[in-house]
Amino acid sequence: MFETISISTDARGVATLMLNRPDKHNAMSGRMIEELMAAAARLAADDAVRVVVLTGAGQTFCAGGDLAWMQAQMAADADTRFREARKLAEALQALNTLPKPLIGAMQGNAFGGGVGMACVCDVTVGVDTLKMGLTETRLGLIPATIGPYVVARMGEARARRVFMSARIFDAAEAVELGLLARAVPADRLMDAVEAEVVPYLACAPGAVAAAKKLTRDLGPRIDDSVIDMTIGALVERWEGDEAKEGIAAFFDKRAPAWAAKG
């Protein structure tokens, strides 16, 4: 029984994987990360599922990592930090390599890890009012475990425009950056998602899975060595003084020490 996500499947074999912490803006807690791993395994093994749609409950698609969860990692011992960081990295990779088409339906904003969630989808459409941003550096952190998927989606040149600045950008720029295939009015979102889903229902499921694997094999390398490098980079930031100050400042509702005055 899931607590932070839900899965439903229609008669056609179209499954909806919904992030379901609307009161927390679908921020990824330790529990949600574990449940996403379990969901990916379940969906991958279910021959009745032809396509998966990833969306969120409430007004926000995903606000990124749960800050209370990140704060706990900074207070934990080294083994716990590595274990939790690996869970996050493995959940992202499980979704990225899901042997079914994964269609992102962004009904609201995405920040930090939420951008990473959009990038593990094969195609993502969103409402034209949404905002996005890789906001980690404001907290003294970096987009580490999501980094390979963000750079694979945008390419290095476009990623460098937004990867380090924590700048918030709108749906039109998200399309330009390659994060969204298109942005549509909210009342047309599900029509746009349906337009992405329907072609797959005429395709051989095994061929779709093989074609998806081939695109990953031909694309930027995201293997165990890359994932291990991102885990190390994330843990290093968790252990640093900037992350401690950034997270503390967030909970204290004040500007961090490095923020420009005036």
Side-chain angles (χ1 to χ4, degrees):
M1 184 71 175
F2 295 125
E3 295 179 4
T4 66
I5 64 173
S6 66
I7 301 175
S8 60
T9 306
D10 69 18
R12 303 174 300 168
V14 179
T16 298
L17 171 58
M18 180 174 288
L19 309 180
N20 197 22
R21 297 183 78 208
D23 57 321
K24 300 294 186 182
H25 297 278
N26 295 322
M28 290 185 288
S29 63
R31 178 72 175 183
M32 179 182 280
I33 291 164
E34 291 174 357
E35 292 187 350
L36 285 170
M37 274 287 294
R42 178 188 296 187
L43 292 165
D46 189 344
D47 291 339
V49 172
R50 302 283 302 275
V51 184
V52 180
V53 175
L54 175 63
T55 191
Q59 296 183 331
T60 304
F61 174 70
C62 179
D66 184 279
L67 287 174
W69 173 75
M70 286 191 275
Q71 189 178 44
Q73 306 324 307
M74 290 185 288
D77 58 68
D79 287 345
T80 299
R81 289 192 196 106
F82 272 94
R83 185 169 60 250
E84 291 300 300
R86 182 167 295 282
K87 286 180 185 177
L88 175 56
E90 290 178 349
L92 291 165
Q93 182 70 326
L95 291 169
N96 188 57
T97 57
L98 186 73
K100 314 286 172 81
L102 182 60
I103 312 300
M106 292 182 58
Q107 86 293 354
N109 297 343
F111 303 112
V115 177
M117 292 289 282
C119 290
V120 299
C121 296
D122 299 305
V123 62
T124 303
V125 295
V127 296
D128 57 10
T129 55
L130 66 76
K131 304 290 185 184
M132 300 180 77
L134 292 152
T135 51
E136 287 89 345
T137 54
R138 289 186 185 176
L139 298 169
L141 298 168
I142 57 174
T145 51
I146 66 170
Y149 312 105
V150 173
V151 175
R153 174 61 58 87
M154 288 197 281
E156 182 184 349
R158 287 185 293 184
R160 286 170 71 160
R161 288 169 50 183
V162 295
F163 200 78
M164 302 88 76
S165 68
R167 179 172 63 80
I168 305 301
F169 49 91
D170 62 16
E173 187 171 2
V175 172
E176 180 190 349
L177 289 167
L179 291 169
L180 297 180
R182 59 186 177 277
V184 299
D187 61 359
R188 289 175 47 201
L189 178 63
M190 296 320 295
D191 288 340
V193 171
E194 185 70 2
E196 298 293 341
V197 166
V198 167
Y200 286 110
L201 302 180
C203 297
V208 170
K212 179 171 179 175
K213 181 180 183 300
L214 181 61
T215 63
R216 286 303 318 123
D217 291 341
L218 295 172
R221 178 174 58 90
I222 305 176
D223 58 13
D224 288 346
S225 65
V226 171
I227 291 170
D228 287 346
M229 181 266 290
T230 69
I231 291 169
L234 177 59
V235 170
E236 183 179 0
R237 294 307 304 177
W238 276 346
E239 293 176 344
D241 291 338
E242 285 187 341
K244 293 181 176 67
E245 166 64 7
I247 299 294
F250 177 87
F251 282 108
D252 292 345
K253 295 181 170 53
R254 61 173 174 83
W258 56 77
K261 304 301 188 288

